[in-house]
Amino acid sequence: MILGEVMYPFFLMLMLALIAVMLISLIVSAYFLLGDPPSSSRLLRSLTVRVSAAVVFFMLLWAAYSVGWVHPHGLQPVNQHKQQ
């Protein structure tokens, strides 16, 4: 279990980095969409990077679930009527 404790912070940083890559790529894609001529392929490459980062993100999320680093949880109902 020591390996899991060491790898978990690395995993969190990697997931945050992938989210940042997806957001930056999306912003860059919007810039290319608005500013580049229609024959440019930079928009396609930027969106390919975003989709690839999303696929890697979900694969890592599934792997973390398999190892036990993340656990699903349902919505917790809030008891609005307290019994007195």
Side-chain angles (χ1 to χ4, degrees):
M1 199 55 148
I2 297 294
L3 181 62
E5 293 172 3
V6 171
M7 293 298 291
Y8 186 70
F10 173 73
F11 168 75
L12 287 178
M13 294 301 292
L14 182 63
M15 297 300 272
L16 289 174
L18 282 171
I19 291 172
V21 165
M22 287 187 280
L23 289 175
I24 290 169
S25 178
L26 193 61
I27 292 168
V28 169
S29 296
Y31 174 76
F32 290 152
L33 179 66
L34 297 174
D36 276 1
S39 62
S40 177
S41 64
R42 294 194 303 178
L43 174 65
L44 180 63
R45 277 186 276 151
S46 181
L47 289 175
T48 302
V49 168
R50 190 191 71 78
V51 169
S52 301
V55 167
V56 170
F57 178 83
F58 284 110
M59 287 174 58
L60 287 174
L61 191 61
W62 176 75
Y65 173 73
S66 298
V67 185
W69 289 347
V70 293
H71 302 284
H73 58 86
L75 296 175
Q76 305 290 327
V78 177
N79 189 2
Q80 295 179 359
H81 303 288
K82 293 184 179 181
Q83 296 178 355
Q84 297 178 357

